[in-house]
Amino acid sequence: MKKIKYVLALFIAAVMIFAVGCSAKIELHDVSEYRKILDYKDGFKVMMLTDIHISRLSNVEELSKYLAHNINEAQPDLIVLNGDNFFDASRASVDYLFNFIDSFKISWVYLQGNHDHQGTFEPTYPDEVASRMKYSLNVDYPNDGIDGTQNFYVDLVDGNDLVYRLFMIDGGSYSRLNPVKYTYEQIRESQLAHIEKIQAQEEDDSYTSLAFFHIPLQEYEDAYKGYIEGKYEGKGENREGNYPSAFSSNQYERLKAAGIRGVFCGHDHINNSIVDYNGFICGYGVKATREIYHDDDILGYLLITLTDEAFSIDNCTSVYVDYDSVVGGK
Ligand SMILES: [Fe+2]
């Protein structure tokens, strides 16, 4: 009996230690801890570079020459690396790109796409490097119970006034909901609730909110169709289908209800349309390099200029830059 009591006590102690260990894993953070602040000015420029796709085989010298030309031309106030920055990359590739971007002394953010973790490094490596670079705004709390590693937001303020709020969202990679079929993930419930919580803290909703993430919403298809039919205002062109999240999780409805005016994605390399879909802008970026599939005549960057006027698709410019004329031809 004594022995049984002893074993039972040991078992209870083990369960308690396990329970304490598990409960200690979640560390909640106030929404203000996800907030980054930059000074707003009329004409604040956000440069979105998407689908850079640096790999171990990339000619990084040539590629960085092209990116440097474009960054120097755009003179942005914020650079958004909107996912698929890497593909079959190494730690050296991550170090190279982030040090290169940081060298411009311009605020920047790293967002992950579906290919960023496919490399010879542990999945957390790009976030670790990004969060310690001088000009990066990335912040992540690994045990905060919110899915993904980019759940922060950048407030552009004029004194005490919030003028623009830019949500940086980790849209995931491949869907875990359907392991048989090759599908893409979506913004998850914990992230949508986090965004809603951030927005709920503001009494004055006169500011404009935009969001950046890699994989487009399912609604992009409807938006483009409506634009082609003349139903919605838009610009640009889609040269391939759109490959959105497999499960919508009501992302569109939730983001729209949270007061977000427009979202900007990458992922579909030769789609560059920007459509005002019932008051919610569905925007594609411009592929930033020649890596993987692309069309040579639509490489460059998306420039979003934020002004005192109401935000519209007119604030978004797809800038196409000829690769050969920048790198000197082949
Ligand atoms: Fe992608």
Side-chain angles (χ1 to χ4, degrees):
M1 191 67 183
K2 249 187 178 178
K3 198 177 176 186
I4 291 172
K5 272 186 182 170
Y6 178 68
V7 170
L8 193 66
L10 269 181
F11 176 73
I12 291 169
V15 167
M16 283 176 73
I17 289 166
F18 180 74
V20 168
C22 284
S23 64
K25 274 185 179 172
I26 301 281
E27 288 171 22
L28 295 178
H29 291 262
D30 189 82
V31 288
S32 63
E33 294 176 77
Y34 297 86
R35 185 184 192 222
K36 294 289 175 154
I37 302 169
L38 292 177
D39 284 331
Y40 168 74
K41 65 177 181 192
D42 187 19
F44 186 102
K45 288 190 277 188
V46 180
M47 180 189 205
M48 187 170 116
L49 295 170
T50 189
D51 297 271
I52 292 173
H53 287 293
I54 286 192
S55 77
R56 286 176 289 171
L57 300 174
S58 293
N59 180 340
V60 289
E61 213 169 277
E62 185 182 288
L63 187 147
S64 53
K65 191 176 176 185
Y66 182 70
L67 292 177
H69 169 274
N70 292 348
I71 293 168
N72 288 328
E73 179 185 74
Q75 291 287 308
D77 300 291
L78 173 66
I79 297 171
V80 177
L81 302 178
N82 199 346
D84 285 2
N85 309 282
F86 308 109
F87 177 58
D88 188 28
S90 64
R91 275 176 170 241
S93 321
V94 176
D95 295 347
Y96 180 87
L97 180 66
F98 288 172
N99 276 295
F100 168 74
I101 296 292
D102 216 53
S103 71
F104 290 91
K105 300 181 179 175
I106 295 166
S107 297
W108 60 277
V109 302
Y110 154 76
L111 301 179
Q112 76 139 334
N114 49 299
H115 288 307
D116 285 297
H117 293 169
Q118 296 167 333
T120 58
F121 45 78
E122 56 280 18
T124 53
Y125 188 67
D127 281 290
E128 282 167 20
V129 179
S131 61
R132 64 172 182 257
M133 300 302 290
K134 189 172 179 189
Y135 293 94
S136 158
L137 302 178
N138 277 65
V139 59
D140 179 42
Y141 305 105
N143 303 317
D144 60 2
I146 304 172
D147 288 282
T149 51
Q150 295 99 44
N151 290 300
F152 60 102
Y153 59 107
V154 182
D155 277 352
L156 305 186
V157 300
D158 183 2
N160 289 326
D161 294 335
L162 174 58
V163 188
Y164 281 91
R165 173 165 286 168
L166 312 177
F167 284 98
M168 303 299 166
I169 307 172
D170 177 353
S173 55
Y174 298 97
S175 181
R176 294 165 291 186
L177 297 176
N178 187 344
V180 181
K181 210 176 159 205
Y182 179 76
T183 53
Y184 297 109
E185 215 167 22
Q186 69 287 326
I187 303 170
R188 287 136 286 176
E189 173 57 37
S190 60
Q191 297 175 290
L192 292 165
H194 174 65
I195 290 165
E196 288 162 353
K197 198 171 167 190
I198 291 165
Q199 293 292 65
Q201 65 183 332
E202 306 299 336
E203 284 174 15
D204 175 8
D205 62 357
S206 61
Y207 61 96
T208 301
S209 298
L210 304 172
F212 296 83
F213 48 93
H214 181 72
I215 297 169
L217 305 172
Q218 292 183 348
E219 282 71 17
Y220 270 52
E221 195 170 338
D222 255 7
Y224 189 68
K225 191 167 170 272
Y227 155 54
I228 293 301
E229 290 168 354
K231 202 164 139 194
Y232 307 124
E233 196 188 347
K235 56 187 181 182
E237 180 193 2
N238 287 0
R239 294 184 182 176
E240 62 175 321
N242 81 305
Y243 295 89
S245 309
F247 300 89
S248 89
S249 66
N250 296 326
Q251 296 172 95
Y252 164 71
E253 290 83 357
R254 300 274 294 275
L255 294 174
K256 193 174 178 183
I260 289 173
R261 172 74 176 98
V263 296
F264 298 93
C265 300
H267 189 56
D268 300 326
H269 301 180
I270 52 174
N271 287 349
N272 298 311
S273 65
I274 300 170
V275 179
D276 197 336
Y277 180 60
N278 291 319
F280 183 94
I281 295 171
C282 294
Y284 272 114
V286 178
K287 181 155 169 51
T289 68
R290 259 181 174 167
E291 305 297 296
I292 314 189
Y293 80 92
H294 66 277
D295 277 353
D296 268 340
D297 60 328
I298 48 171
L299 297 180
Y301 57 96
L302 174 65
L303 191 65
I304 301 171
T305 307
L306 306 176
T307 69
D308 295 345
E309 306 302 315
F311 189 82
S312 75
I313 61 170
D314 295 340
N315 297 71
C316 313
T317 309
S318 300
V319 182
Y320 305 120
V321 183
D322 184 64
Y323 198 88
D324 283 335
S325 60
V326 172
V327 303
K330 280 191 172 175

